[in-house]
Amino acid sequence: VPFLMQLFSAARLPKDEADATVKGLVEEREAQYSFDLMWLSGGLGEKVKMDVVVTHVSPLQPLRGRLVISTTGLYFQPFSNVTARPFCALERRVVGKVLPRRFMFKQVGIEVFMG
């Protein structure tokens, strides 16, 4: 309820200020979620190398979530529950190549090919 009240208050602000407020609220909320390390499939020797907030881009809907790169694979955990699975995992051995991609006219994305 407090989060909804903050969003309601932000809706009454001027557009630029409202956008900045909502962006800050969303980032604060996303920072509260951490990747569940029980989902790591590499056993006790698997170590997390990188844990970042990303956007999974598909033709229908961009999906915000957390990307974890470990010593044995890639894991994506969406923040929303619109997917059937709570996370997506790719073992490092099935990743064929990773190429840089543009998103919203900026060179900020990657595309992962399996092979």
Side-chain angles (χ1 to χ4, degrees):
V1 176
F3 181 71
L4 292 176
M5 293 302 294
Q6 290 173 327
L7 287 175
F8 185 70
S9 298
R12 296 180 183 169
L13 298 172
K15 182 174 178 4
D16 292 340
E17 196 174 329
D19 289 345
T21 303
V22 169
K23 184 178 179 181
L25 289 171
V26 169
E27 288 174 355
E28 179 182 321
R29 185 134 174 134
E30 289 175 351
Q32 293 175 357
Y33 293 103
S34 61
F35 185 79
D36 186 357
L37 296 177
M38 297 299 293
W39 290 335
L40 296 178
S41 61
L44 295 175
E46 187 170 15
K47 303 279 190 256
V48 173
K49 296 293 186 179
M50 184 185 293
D51 183 351
V52 292
V53 174
V54 298
T55 302
H56 176 264
V57 180
S58 66
L60 298 176
Q61 171 99 17
L63 184 62
R64 301 263 311 156
R66 187 166 298 281
L67 176 70
V68 172
I69 301 174
S70 73
T71 53
T72 62
L74 299 170
Y75 302 89
F76 176 73
Q77 174 187 359
F79 290 132
S80 62
N81 59 356
V82 296
T83 60
R85 296 178 294 167
F87 72 101
C88 176
L90 290 174
E91 292 181 22
R92 194 169 78 184
R93 63 179 173 80
V94 301
V95 175
K97 59 184 172 179
V98 178
L99 296 176
R101 291 289 183 233
R102 290 182 184 204
F103 178 66
M104 309 263 319
F105 302 109
K106 296 179 184 173
Q107 194 73 29
V108 293
I110 62 170
E111 186 171 1
V112 178
F113 294 91
M114 299 184 325

Short mmCIF file of all heavy atoms in Angstrom, two decimals, residues 5 12 17 22 30 33-35 72-73 77 93 103 112:
data_model
loop_
_atom_site.label_atom_id
_atom_site.label_comp_id
_atom_site.label_asym_id
_atom_site.label_seq_id
_atom_site.Cartn_x
_atom_site.Cartn_y
_atom_site.Cartn_z
N MET A 5 0.69 4.39 -2.77
CA MET A 5 0.47 5.78 -2.36
C MET A 5 1.57 6.68 -2.94
O MET A 5 1.29 7.81 -3.36
CB MET A 5 0.44 5.90 -0.84
CG MET A 5 -0.76 5.21 -0.20
SD MET A 5 -2.34 5.82 -0.80
CE MET A 5 -2.32 7.48 -0.17
N ARG A 12 0.55 13.19 -9.51
CA ARG A 12 0.09 14.58 -9.39
C ARG A 12 1.18 15.59 -9.70
O ARG A 12 0.91 16.78 -9.78
CB ARG A 12 -0.42 14.82 -7.98
CG ARG A 12 -1.62 13.98 -7.64
CD ARG A 12 -2.08 14.25 -6.25
NE ARG A 12 -3.18 13.40 -5.88
CZ ARG A 12 -3.64 13.28 -4.67
NH1 ARG A 12 -3.10 13.97 -3.68
NH2 ARG A 12 -4.65 12.49 -4.41
N GLU A 17 9.12 15.70 -13.39
CA GLU A 17 9.34 15.33 -11.99
C GLU A 17 8.69 13.98 -11.68
O GLU A 17 9.24 13.16 -10.95
CB GLU A 17 8.77 16.42 -11.10
CG GLU A 17 9.25 16.36 -9.67
CD GLU A 17 8.76 17.55 -8.87
OE1 GLU A 17 8.58 18.65 -9.44
OE2 GLU A 17 8.55 17.37 -7.66
N VAL A 22 8.96 8.22 -10.41
CA VAL A 22 8.55 6.85 -10.69
C VAL A 22 9.77 5.98 -11.01
O VAL A 22 9.87 4.84 -10.54
CB VAL A 22 7.52 6.79 -11.84
CG1 VAL A 22 7.28 5.37 -12.31
CG2 VAL A 22 6.21 7.43 -11.39
N GLU A 30 13.18 -2.68 -7.43
CA GLU A 30 13.95 -3.75 -8.08
C GLU A 30 15.19 -4.11 -7.29
O GLU A 30 15.62 -5.26 -7.29
CB GLU A 30 14.33 -3.32 -9.50
CG GLU A 30 13.16 -3.29 -10.45
CD GLU A 30 13.51 -2.75 -11.82
OE1 GLU A 30 14.63 -2.22 -12.01
OE2 GLU A 30 12.67 -2.85 -12.72
N TYR A 33 14.89 -7.01 -4.73
CA TYR A 33 14.85 -8.40 -5.17
C TYR A 33 16.26 -8.90 -5.45
O TYR A 33 17.02 -8.25 -6.16
CB TYR A 33 14.00 -8.55 -6.43
CG TYR A 33 12.55 -8.25 -6.21
CD1 TYR A 33 11.99 -7.04 -6.60
CD2 TYR A 33 11.73 -9.18 -5.59
CE1 TYR A 33 10.66 -6.77 -6.40
CE2 TYR A 33 10.39 -8.92 -5.38
CZ TYR A 33 9.86 -7.71 -5.79
OH TYR A 33 8.54 -7.43 -5.58
N SER A 34 16.58 -10.04 -4.91
CA SER A 34 17.88 -10.65 -5.19
C SER A 34 17.65 -12.01 -5.85
O SER A 34 16.59 -12.62 -5.69
CB SER A 34 18.70 -10.80 -3.92
OG SER A 34 18.03 -11.64 -3.00
N PHE A 35 18.64 -12.47 -6.56
CA PHE A 35 18.54 -13.76 -7.24
C PHE A 35 18.62 -14.86 -6.19
O PHE A 35 19.46 -14.83 -5.29
CB PHE A 35 19.69 -13.90 -8.25
CG PHE A 35 19.59 -15.16 -9.07
CD1 PHE A 35 18.72 -15.24 -10.13
CD2 PHE A 35 20.37 -16.26 -8.76
CE1 PHE A 35 18.63 -16.40 -10.89
CE2 PHE A 35 20.29 -17.42 -9.51
CZ PHE A 35 19.41 -17.48 -10.57
N THR A 72 29.41 -21.39 -14.41
CA THR A 72 28.91 -22.47 -15.26
C THR A 72 27.73 -22.10 -16.14
O THR A 72 27.27 -22.93 -16.93
CB THR A 72 28.51 -23.70 -14.42
OG1 THR A 72 27.47 -23.31 -13.54
CG2 THR A 72 29.68 -24.24 -13.65
N GLY A 73 27.17 -20.89 -16.02
CA GLY A 73 26.02 -20.57 -16.85
C GLY A 73 25.50 -19.17 -16.70
O GLY A 73 26.03 -18.34 -15.95
N GLN A 77 16.18 -13.98 -14.08
CA GLN A 77 15.02 -14.03 -13.20
C GLN A 77 14.20 -12.77 -13.42
O GLN A 77 14.64 -11.67 -13.08
CB GLN A 77 15.47 -14.11 -11.74
CG GLN A 77 14.34 -14.03 -10.76
CD GLN A 77 14.85 -13.94 -9.33
OE1 GLN A 77 16.03 -13.96 -9.06
NE2 GLN A 77 13.92 -13.85 -8.40
N ARG A 93 28.11 -24.41 -21.62
CA ARG A 93 28.49 -25.27 -22.74
C ARG A 93 27.53 -25.18 -23.93
O ARG A 93 27.88 -25.49 -25.05
CB ARG A 93 28.64 -26.72 -22.28
CG ARG A 93 27.37 -27.34 -21.78
CD ARG A 93 27.60 -28.81 -21.36
NE ARG A 93 26.43 -29.35 -20.75
CZ ARG A 93 25.36 -29.79 -21.41
NH1 ARG A 93 25.33 -29.74 -22.72
NH2 ARG A 93 24.32 -30.27 -20.75
N PHE A 103 19.92 -1.43 -28.76
CA PHE A 103 18.57 -1.35 -28.22
C PHE A 103 18.26 0.11 -28.02
O PHE A 103 19.03 0.83 -27.36
CB PHE A 103 18.46 -2.13 -26.90
CG PHE A 103 17.10 -2.04 -26.26
CD1 PHE A 103 16.00 -2.60 -26.88
CD2 PHE A 103 16.93 -1.37 -25.07
CE1 PHE A 103 14.74 -2.52 -26.30
CE2 PHE A 103 15.67 -1.27 -24.49
CZ PHE A 103 14.58 -1.87 -25.10
N VAL A 112 22.41 -13.70 -27.22
CA VAL A 112 23.06 -14.97 -26.87
C VAL A 112 22.56 -16.02 -27.86
O VAL A 112 21.34 -16.25 -27.99
CB VAL A 112 22.71 -15.39 -25.42
CG1 VAL A 112 23.34 -16.72 -25.10
CG2 VAL A 112 23.16 -14.32 -24.44
#
